[in-house]
Amino acid sequence: MKIKKTIAAALTVVMLSTAASGVFASGANENISGGINGGAEETQSYLGDNESELLVSPSPGIFDDNEEGAEDVQPTLYPSGIQTAEPDINIESSSPEPYPETTDVPSEEPANDVMISSYQVNFSCRLDGWPRKDYAVFNICSEDGKILDSHTKYITDTESFSIDFNIPDSKVGTVFYLEVTGVDSIDYYSDNYPVPLTEKIPLYTYWSEPDENGDRVPVSSAHMTAHVRTQCPINIYADGEYVSLSSPAIFDGSYIIAPLSEIAGAIGISDCTYFPEYNSVKVKTGDNEMLVNIGYSYLTAFGSDINLDLPVSNINSLTYIELRPFIEAFGSTLEYYDNGSYIDIKLTKSPMAVSSIAEQEARINESGVGSSTDYLIWVNKEKFRCTVFSGSKGNWKWVKDFTVGIGAEGRETITGVFEYIDYTNMWPYDSYYVGPVMVFYGNYALHSTFLKYDGTPYDNTVGAKISHGCVRCQAKYINWMVDNIPMKTRVYVTES
């Protein structure tokens, strides 16, 4: 009968509208459907756990006007035992209320017509030992393995860095892949990728989470941890004697670099004078001089340039230089032994240094000068050189020599045989000081070059006639003498 169909339609509208508002519990449709099928009498349903009853009874107005015998009835809806106001139900226009839209997660991603053309990978570096300075290569690849962009990074320590790759215009959701060489491994999320890679590292592109306005942006970046390559120990020997370095020799790519002054000392050259105004080091043995410019990839040895594969660098406040070309310029030889877990480097003494040392020893032993201690200091004014010997009269052995400054014209450094008779920490002046001070006659002394009160050079000049008569030494040399040479040591000053 049409009454049944009409009532069923009305109840379906009410049911859906009420369910959208959270009124009906599971099973409500089944109860209502059963009631309608049984006739136009009462129908019951239960509302969730509180079992509140919803009663439906025929009321005027629900039948069509053109139906013969139809009465105008409206259903009256009320919970069990409570009379309610009659709702205004329009069968033609009523529809279920839509579910409220969420704002934190849109039902759809933005239209995928946005193209990305770059990908940034941010690296933190982790060091598990002494770094093996090396070049690392980073390639971004397509899914089929084609290299789209490549970058090379010189990795020396744990400094973080970023690489910006250029890629062809691609849709959000495209996956790229990273290839890496020159590091030990890569950490990405919870995975560790040993290098060389057995599988490429995926680089994802995606839409960000919505911001407070519900907007999402494309993401084409990643953060990884690079484990910097470490090196096995490098042992250096000179004429069979182990060389103790204050800072170790380092693999730098395929080359070995080491502290300049300590390697020079190992092959018999102690005179390494730093000139801050030129950021250069002069290395000298006898009359043979080499100029080393920090930051440049060449040496000037005895008037000729020697090219280096790596620039001279400053590490741990020390000047590092490529080992082989430096020592070979002074006539030394180098042998390399890779023992797997460690490397031995065997050097020979510089024949230039050996000759200079022999000449100085012969000269001082022929002079017949002795000392009250086991040390002797000889200042040769013509060569601007101070040499320290150990031993005894007629049997002095070279310890080290270095370049000094002496008295200017009219204020010449005194010549003769003297003794180290007094010590003071410094002689202060308005803008600088000199010190420590080793007095050997009247106001004549060996002391430092001019130093600022923060300890940095004010005027570091040596190898010139520059003082008021004293012998100026660069700080590392005067400090070494104060630490090692006792009072009463003979000081021998000659014109040549």
Short mmCIF file of all heavy atoms in Angstrom, two decimals, residues 50-93:
data_model
loop_
_atom_site.label_atom_id
_atom_site.label_comp_id
_atom_site.label_asym_id
_atom_site.label_seq_id
_atom_site.Cartn_x
_atom_site.Cartn_y
_atom_site.Cartn_z
N ASN A 50 21.76 3.61 26.55
CA ASN A 50 20.73 4.01 27.51
C ASN A 50 19.34 3.49 27.14
O ASN A 50 18.38 3.70 27.85
CB ASN A 50 20.70 5.54 27.64
CG ASN A 50 20.39 6.22 26.31
OD1 ASN A 50 20.07 5.54 25.35
ND2 ASN A 50 20.48 7.56 26.29
N GLU A 51 19.26 2.82 26.00
CA GLU A 51 18.03 2.16 25.57
C GLU A 51 16.82 3.08 25.63
O GLU A 51 15.73 2.70 26.01
CB GLU A 51 17.75 0.92 26.43
CG GLU A 51 18.85 -0.14 26.28
CD GLU A 51 18.51 -1.42 26.99
OE1 GLU A 51 17.50 -1.44 27.71
OE2 GLU A 51 19.25 -2.39 26.82
N SER A 52 17.02 4.38 25.30
CA SER A 52 15.89 5.30 25.22
C SER A 52 15.07 4.96 23.99
O SER A 52 15.60 4.79 22.91
CB SER A 52 16.42 6.75 25.15
OG SER A 52 15.37 7.63 24.97
N GLU A 53 13.71 4.85 24.17
CA GLU A 53 12.85 4.40 23.07
C GLU A 53 12.43 5.57 22.19
O GLU A 53 12.20 6.66 22.65
CB GLU A 53 11.58 3.74 23.61
CG GLU A 53 11.87 2.49 24.44
CD GLU A 53 10.61 1.91 25.03
OE1 GLU A 53 9.55 2.52 24.84
OE2 GLU A 53 10.70 0.86 25.67
N LEU A 54 12.39 5.30 20.88
CA LEU A 54 11.85 6.27 19.93
C LEU A 54 10.55 5.70 19.39
O LEU A 54 10.54 4.63 18.77
CB LEU A 54 12.83 6.48 18.78
CG LEU A 54 12.37 7.48 17.71
CD1 LEU A 54 12.29 8.87 18.32
CD2 LEU A 54 13.32 7.46 16.53
N LEU A 55 9.41 6.39 19.69
CA LEU A 55 8.09 5.92 19.27
C LEU A 55 7.64 6.70 18.06
O LEU A 55 7.81 7.90 17.98
CB LEU A 55 7.07 6.11 20.40
CG LEU A 55 7.46 5.44 21.74
CD1 LEU A 55 6.36 5.67 22.75
CD2 LEU A 55 7.70 3.95 21.53
N VAL A 56 7.05 6.00 17.10
CA VAL A 56 6.50 6.63 15.90
C VAL A 56 5.03 6.28 15.80
O VAL A 56 4.67 5.10 15.82
CB VAL A 56 7.24 6.13 14.64
CG1 VAL A 56 6.71 6.83 13.42
CG2 VAL A 56 8.75 6.36 14.79
N SER A 57 4.19 7.28 15.73
CA SER A 57 2.75 7.01 15.56
C SER A 57 2.23 7.85 14.42
O SER A 57 2.70 8.97 14.19
CB SER A 57 1.99 7.33 16.85
OG SER A 57 2.17 8.67 17.21
N PRO A 58 1.28 7.33 13.69
CA PRO A 58 0.74 8.10 12.54
C PRO A 58 0.13 9.41 13.00
O PRO A 58 -0.51 9.48 14.04
CB PRO A 58 -0.31 7.17 11.95
CG PRO A 58 0.04 5.80 12.48
CD PRO A 58 0.62 6.03 13.82
N SER A 59 0.37 10.43 12.25
CA SER A 59 -0.23 11.74 12.50
C SER A 59 -0.69 12.29 11.17
O SER A 59 -0.22 11.87 10.11
CB SER A 59 0.79 12.69 13.15
OG SER A 59 1.15 12.19 14.43
N PRO A 60 -1.55 13.25 11.19
CA PRO A 60 -2.08 13.80 9.93
C PRO A 60 -1.00 14.41 9.08
O PRO A 60 -0.04 14.96 9.60
CB PRO A 60 -3.08 14.86 10.40
CG PRO A 60 -3.42 14.51 11.79
CD PRO A 60 -2.22 13.84 12.36
N GLY A 61 -1.21 14.30 7.73
CA GLY A 61 -0.38 15.05 6.80
C GLY A 61 0.66 14.26 6.08
O GLY A 61 1.36 14.82 5.25
N ILE A 62 0.80 12.96 6.32
CA ILE A 62 1.87 12.24 5.67
C ILE A 62 1.46 11.67 4.33
O ILE A 62 2.30 11.32 3.53
CB ILE A 62 2.38 11.12 6.60
CG1 ILE A 62 3.78 10.71 6.12
CG2 ILE A 62 1.45 9.92 6.60
CD1 ILE A 62 4.48 9.82 7.11
N PHE A 63 0.12 11.55 4.08
CA PHE A 63 -0.35 10.98 2.80
C PHE A 63 -0.45 12.06 1.74
O PHE A 63 -0.68 13.22 2.03
CB PHE A 63 -1.73 10.33 3.00
CG PHE A 63 -1.72 9.25 4.05
CD1 PHE A 63 -2.37 9.43 5.26
CD2 PHE A 63 -1.03 8.07 3.83
CE1 PHE A 63 -2.36 8.44 6.21
CE2 PHE A 63 -1.01 7.08 4.79
CZ PHE A 63 -1.67 7.25 6.00
N ASP A 64 -0.27 11.64 0.47
CA ASP A 64 -0.43 12.58 -0.64
C ASP A 64 -1.88 13.04 -0.74
O ASP A 64 -2.81 12.28 -0.52
CB ASP A 64 -0.04 11.90 -1.96
CG ASP A 64 1.43 11.56 -2.01
OD1 ASP A 64 2.20 12.19 -1.24
OD2 ASP A 64 1.81 10.66 -2.79
N ASP A 65 -2.06 14.31 -1.13
CA ASP A 65 -3.42 14.85 -1.24
C ASP A 65 -4.22 14.15 -2.33
O ASP A 65 -5.44 14.07 -2.26
CB ASP A 65 -3.37 16.36 -1.55
CG ASP A 65 -2.83 17.13 -0.37
OD1 ASP A 65 -2.91 16.60 0.75
OD2 ASP A 65 -2.30 18.25 -0.59
N ASN A 66 -3.57 13.66 -3.40
CA ASN A 66 -4.32 13.08 -4.50
C ASN A 66 -4.59 11.58 -4.29
O ASN A 66 -5.12 10.94 -5.15
CB ASN A 66 -3.58 13.28 -5.82
CG ASN A 66 -2.19 12.63 -5.78
OD1 ASN A 66 -1.81 12.11 -4.75
ND2 ASN A 66 -1.51 12.68 -6.91
N GLU A 67 -4.22 11.03 -3.16
CA GLU A 67 -4.49 9.61 -2.87
C GLU A 67 -5.89 9.49 -2.31
O GLU A 67 -6.22 10.14 -1.33
CB GLU A 67 -3.45 9.09 -1.87
CG GLU A 67 -3.69 7.64 -1.44
CD GLU A 67 -3.30 6.67 -2.52
OE1 GLU A 67 -2.68 7.12 -3.51
OE2 GLU A 67 -3.59 5.49 -2.40
N GLU A 68 -6.64 8.66 -2.95
CA GLU A 68 -8.03 8.50 -2.50
C GLU A 68 -8.05 7.92 -1.10
O GLU A 68 -7.40 6.93 -0.81
CB GLU A 68 -8.78 7.57 -3.45
CG GLU A 68 -10.25 7.42 -3.10
CD GLU A 68 -10.97 6.53 -4.09
OE1 GLU A 68 -10.31 6.14 -5.10
OE2 GLU A 68 -12.14 6.24 -3.86
N GLY A 69 -8.81 8.55 -0.24
CA GLY A 69 -8.95 8.08 1.13
C GLY A 69 -7.80 8.48 2.02
O GLY A 69 -7.76 8.09 3.18
N ALA A 70 -6.86 9.24 1.45
CA ALA A 70 -5.71 9.61 2.27
C ALA A 70 -6.09 10.68 3.25
O ALA A 70 -6.88 11.55 2.96
CB ALA A 70 -4.59 10.11 1.37
N GLU A 71 -5.53 10.57 4.42
CA GLU A 71 -5.73 11.58 5.45
C GLU A 71 -4.44 12.39 5.60
O GLU A 71 -3.35 11.87 5.45
CB GLU A 71 -6.07 10.92 6.78
CG GLU A 71 -7.35 10.11 6.75
CD GLU A 71 -7.59 9.44 8.07
OE1 GLU A 71 -6.87 9.81 9.03
OE2 GLU A 71 -8.45 8.58 8.16
N ASP A 72 -4.58 13.71 5.90
CA ASP A 72 -3.39 14.52 6.18
C ASP A 72 -2.93 14.23 7.59
O ASP A 72 -3.54 14.67 8.54
CB ASP A 72 -3.71 16.02 6.03
CG ASP A 72 -3.76 16.43 4.58
OD1 ASP A 72 -3.11 15.73 3.77
OD2 ASP A 72 -4.42 17.43 4.28
N VAL A 73 -1.85 13.48 7.69
CA VAL A 73 -1.31 13.17 9.02
C VAL A 73 0.19 13.45 9.00
O VAL A 73 0.84 13.38 7.97
CB VAL A 73 -1.56 11.68 9.40
CG1 VAL A 73 -3.04 11.43 9.58
CG2 VAL A 73 -0.96 10.75 8.39
N GLN A 74 0.75 13.82 10.17
CA GLN A 74 2.18 13.99 10.38
C GLN A 74 2.60 13.06 11.51
O GLN A 74 1.89 12.93 12.50
CB GLN A 74 2.52 15.43 10.81
CG GLN A 74 2.31 16.46 9.72
CD GLN A 74 3.44 16.47 8.74
OE1 GLN A 74 4.42 15.76 8.93
NE2 GLN A 74 3.28 17.23 7.67
N PRO A 75 3.71 12.34 11.35
CA PRO A 75 4.14 11.50 12.47
C PRO A 75 4.65 12.36 13.61
O PRO A 75 5.27 13.39 13.40
CB PRO A 75 5.27 10.67 11.86
CG PRO A 75 5.80 11.52 10.76
CD PRO A 75 4.63 12.27 10.23
N THR A 76 4.28 11.96 14.79
CA THR A 76 4.78 12.63 15.98
C THR A 76 5.91 11.80 16.55
O THR A 76 5.71 10.61 16.84
CB THR A 76 3.67 12.79 17.03
OG1 THR A 76 2.61 13.55 16.44
CG2 THR A 76 4.19 13.50 18.27
N LEU A 77 7.12 12.40 16.70
CA LEU A 77 8.30 11.69 17.20
C LEU A 77 8.60 12.17 18.59
O LEU A 77 8.69 13.36 18.83
CB LEU A 77 9.50 11.95 16.28
CG LEU A 77 9.28 11.68 14.77
CD1 LEU A 77 10.53 12.05 14.00
CD2 LEU A 77 8.92 10.24 14.55
N TYR A 78 8.75 11.21 19.54
CA TYR A 78 9.14 11.60 20.89
C TYR A 78 9.75 10.41 21.58
O TYR A 78 9.37 9.26 21.32
CB TYR A 78 7.94 12.14 21.68
CG TYR A 78 6.76 11.19 21.72
CD1 TYR A 78 6.63 10.24 22.75
CD2 TYR A 78 5.78 11.25 20.71
CE1 TYR A 78 5.54 9.39 22.77
CE2 TYR A 78 4.69 10.38 20.75
CZ TYR A 78 4.57 9.45 21.77
OH TYR A 78 3.52 8.59 21.81
N PRO A 79 10.71 10.66 22.44
CA PRO A 79 11.25 9.57 23.24
C PRO A 79 10.17 9.01 24.14
O PRO A 79 9.19 9.67 24.46
CB PRO A 79 12.37 10.23 24.05
CG PRO A 79 12.69 11.49 23.31
CD PRO A 79 11.39 11.90 22.68
N SER A 80 10.36 7.79 24.53
CA SER A 80 9.37 7.10 25.34
C SER A 80 9.04 7.89 26.59
O SER A 80 9.92 8.23 27.37
CB SER A 80 9.91 5.71 25.74
OG SER A 80 9.00 5.05 26.57
N GLY A 81 7.76 8.19 26.72
CA GLY A 81 7.28 8.86 27.93
C GLY A 81 7.40 10.35 27.89
O GLY A 81 7.01 11.02 28.83
N ILE A 82 8.01 10.95 26.81
CA ILE A 82 8.19 12.40 26.77
C ILE A 82 7.62 12.91 25.48
O ILE A 82 8.00 12.50 24.40
CB ILE A 82 9.67 12.78 26.87
CG1 ILE A 82 10.27 12.22 28.15
CG2 ILE A 82 9.85 14.30 26.78
CD1 ILE A 82 11.74 12.48 28.28
N GLN A 83 6.65 13.86 25.57
CA GLN A 83 6.06 14.45 24.37
C GLN A 83 7.00 15.53 23.84
O GLN A 83 7.57 16.31 24.59
CB GLN A 83 4.70 15.08 24.72
CG GLN A 83 3.94 15.59 23.51
CD GLN A 83 3.48 14.44 22.60
OE1 GLN A 83 3.07 13.40 23.10
NE2 GLN A 83 3.57 14.63 21.28
N THR A 84 7.25 15.54 22.53
CA THR A 84 8.15 16.52 21.94
C THR A 84 7.41 17.36 20.93
O THR A 84 6.34 17.00 20.46
CB THR A 84 9.32 15.82 21.22
OG1 THR A 84 8.81 15.06 20.14
CG2 THR A 84 10.09 14.92 22.16
N ALA A 85 8.06 18.48 20.55
CA ALA A 85 7.49 19.32 19.49
C ALA A 85 7.57 18.58 18.19
O ALA A 85 8.48 17.81 17.94
CB ALA A 85 8.27 20.64 19.42
N GLU A 86 6.58 18.81 17.34
CA GLU A 86 6.54 18.12 16.07
C GLU A 86 7.53 18.76 15.09
O GLU A 86 7.47 19.96 14.85
CB GLU A 86 5.13 18.18 15.49
CG GLU A 86 4.11 17.46 16.34
CD GLU A 86 2.73 17.51 15.72
OE1 GLU A 86 2.60 18.18 14.67
OE2 GLU A 86 1.82 16.91 16.26
N PRO A 87 8.44 17.96 14.50
CA PRO A 87 9.40 18.54 13.55
C PRO A 87 8.71 18.84 12.23
O PRO A 87 7.75 18.20 11.87
CB PRO A 87 10.44 17.43 13.39
CG PRO A 87 9.68 16.17 13.68
CD PRO A 87 8.67 16.53 14.72
N ASP A 88 9.25 19.84 11.55
CA ASP A 88 8.74 20.20 10.23
C ASP A 88 9.51 19.40 9.20
O ASP A 88 10.65 19.73 8.87
CB ASP A 88 8.93 21.71 10.00
CG ASP A 88 8.35 22.13 8.66
OD1 ASP A 88 7.61 21.32 8.07
OD2 ASP A 88 8.67 23.26 8.23
N ILE A 89 8.90 18.33 8.70
CA ILE A 89 9.58 17.43 7.78
C ILE A 89 9.10 17.70 6.38
O ILE A 89 7.91 17.65 6.11
CB ILE A 89 9.31 15.96 8.15
CG1 ILE A 89 9.84 15.67 9.56
CG2 ILE A 89 9.93 15.02 7.14
CD1 ILE A 89 9.55 14.27 10.02
N ASN A 90 10.03 18.00 5.49
CA ASN A 90 9.74 18.17 4.07
C ASN A 90 10.42 17.02 3.34
O ASN A 90 11.64 16.98 3.21
CB ASN A 90 10.28 19.52 3.58
CG ASN A 90 9.84 19.78 2.14
OD1 ASN A 90 9.74 18.85 1.35
ND2 ASN A 90 9.60 21.05 1.83
N ILE A 91 9.63 16.06 2.88
CA ILE A 91 10.18 14.86 2.29
C ILE A 91 10.99 15.18 1.06
O ILE A 91 12.01 14.58 0.80
CB ILE A 91 9.05 13.87 1.95
CG1 ILE A 91 8.37 13.43 3.24
CG2 ILE A 91 9.57 12.66 1.18
CD1 ILE A 91 7.18 12.53 3.03
N GLU A 92 10.54 16.19 0.26
CA GLU A 92 11.23 16.46 -0.99
C GLU A 92 12.58 17.10 -0.78
O GLU A 92 13.52 16.85 -1.52
CB GLU A 92 10.36 17.36 -1.86
CG GLU A 92 9.06 16.68 -2.29
CD GLU A 92 8.24 17.59 -3.18
OE1 GLU A 92 8.71 18.74 -3.40
OE2 GLU A 92 7.18 17.18 -3.65
N SER A 93 12.76 17.94 0.28
CA SER A 93 13.99 18.71 0.43
C SER A 93 14.89 18.19 1.53
O SER A 93 16.05 18.55 1.59
CB SER A 93 13.67 20.19 0.70
OG SER A 93 12.94 20.30 1.91
#
